[in-house]
Amino acid sequence: MADPPSPGRARPPILVTGASSGLGRHFARMLAAAGHPILAAARRAPELATLAAEIAAAGGRAATFALDVTDAAAVDATVAAAAASFGPLGGLVNNAGINESAPLLDQDIAAWDRVLATNLRGAFLVARAVAKGMARAGGGAIVNIASILGLRQAGGVGAYATAKAGLIQLTREMALEWARHGIRVNALAPGYIETPLNRAFFASPEGQAMIRRIPARRLGRPEDLDAALRLLLSPEAGYITGAVLAVDGGHLVSGL
Ligand code: NAI
């Protein structure tokens, strides 16, 4: 899919959820620049329209869909409409996610439900809807955007970390069940990546202390994830499925 350009070979369309900001927006632009038609889905339509205009101005192709991934009926309808735009989906970047931090003793249950509904249930709904089409078309590649918090612990993010751990196990279950349909399912587990939303925190003394605990001694940048994402979407990774690839400057292997 995201393999190097080869004349005459069309890149398959890729659906990116949560494409209105942050990493999803970055992934959509990066994959469009690599020649993939992009189906960009998120809740905020104006931001998506801006993204589509930027992709078009750069010579790419994009269609946009206002979508709440927690709405099962809307997910099915959007995936059907996306597949009708540029032909069968070859890839999915399952990126939509939220965090609402709270200590577990004070955890608000509605917030717990929102975090699990978006990061885990929503990711499942989108992946399943996309996989049904991929199975009919002969296969595809799904990349679930997890987190190193699905593999390690940090205080105050119990709901989020639990959802991401669930997403990692769901990745393995989907990989097992869908390999027979030619569908590969892998998880990309970013470490702490600087985006507009967390920039102020990482500039604070607490944030700076966190950066010092990363072996690479710096935050990730969105583009640090590009090679891993392109690999997992690429036919060159045709025998890689059920894997969890951390891109974290060594954060998971930090010393005790
Ligand atoms: P962000 O808040 O900038 O982007 C999240 C995107 O998901 C937004 O476009 C938002 O509209 C969309 N979204 C949220 N709920 C949705 C819903 N119900 N339906 C449809 N779209 C919805 O955050 P960021 O940092 O770009 O995160 C993207 C993904 O990367 C998330 O899954 C996050 O957990 C993951 N991640 C981010 C890290 C970071 O350091 N920024 C580290 C590890 C993982």
Side-chain angles (χ1 to χ4, degrees), residues 101-103 149 153-158:
S101 297
L149 284 168
Q153 304 69 245
V157 289

Short mmCIF file of all heavy atoms in Angstrom, two decimals, residues 101-103 149 153-158:
data_model
loop_
_atom_site.label_atom_id
_atom_site.label_comp_id
_atom_site.label_asym_id
_atom_site.label_seq_id
_atom_site.Cartn_x
_atom_site.Cartn_y
_atom_site.Cartn_z
N SER A 101 -8.61 12.17 31.95
CA SER A 101 -7.79 11.72 33.07
C SER A 101 -8.54 11.83 34.38
O SER A 101 -9.27 12.80 34.62
CB SER A 101 -6.51 12.56 33.14
OG SER A 101 -5.75 12.38 31.97
N ALA A 102 -8.33 10.85 35.25
CA ALA A 102 -8.90 10.87 36.61
C ALA A 102 -8.26 9.75 37.41
O ALA A 102 -8.01 8.67 36.87
CB ALA A 102 -10.41 10.66 36.57
N PRO A 103 -8.02 9.98 38.70
CA PRO A 103 -7.59 8.86 39.55
C PRO A 103 -8.74 7.86 39.65
O PRO A 103 -9.91 8.25 39.68
CB PRO A 103 -7.35 9.51 40.92
CG PRO A 103 -7.43 10.99 40.70
CD PRO A 103 -8.17 11.23 39.44
N LEU A 149 0.66 3.23 26.74
CA LEU A 149 -0.15 3.10 27.96
C LEU A 149 -1.04 1.85 27.92
O LEU A 149 -1.64 1.50 28.92
CB LEU A 149 -0.98 4.35 28.20
CG LEU A 149 -0.16 5.52 28.74
CD1 LEU A 149 -0.97 6.82 28.68
CD2 LEU A 149 0.29 5.26 30.18
N GLN A 153 1.88 1.19 32.80
CA GLN A 153 0.95 1.94 33.64
C GLN A 153 1.43 3.37 33.86
O GLN A 153 2.63 3.63 33.86
CB GLN A 153 0.79 1.29 35.01
CG GLN A 153 0.38 -0.15 35.01
CD GLN A 153 1.47 -1.06 34.46
OE1 GLN A 153 1.30 -1.68 33.42
NE2 GLN A 153 2.60 -1.13 35.14
N ALA A 154 0.48 4.25 34.09
CA ALA A 154 0.77 5.61 34.56
C ALA A 154 -0.42 6.04 35.39
O ALA A 154 -1.55 5.61 35.12
CB ALA A 154 0.99 6.57 33.39
N GLY A 155 -0.19 6.87 36.38
CA GLY A 155 -1.28 7.29 37.25
C GLY A 155 -2.26 8.21 36.54
O GLY A 155 -1.88 9.02 35.69
N GLY A 156 -3.53 8.08 36.87
CA GLY A 156 -4.54 9.03 36.42
C GLY A 156 -5.12 8.76 35.04
O GLY A 156 -5.93 9.54 34.56
N VAL A 157 -4.68 7.68 34.42
CA VAL A 157 -5.19 7.39 33.06
C VAL A 157 -5.74 5.97 32.99
O VAL A 157 -5.61 5.29 31.97
CB VAL A 157 -4.10 7.61 31.98
CG1 VAL A 157 -3.80 9.09 31.79
CG2 VAL A 157 -2.82 6.82 32.32
N GLY A 158 -6.37 5.52 34.08
CA GLY A 158 -6.82 4.13 34.17
C GLY A 158 -7.78 3.72 33.06
O GLY A 158 -7.64 2.64 32.47
#
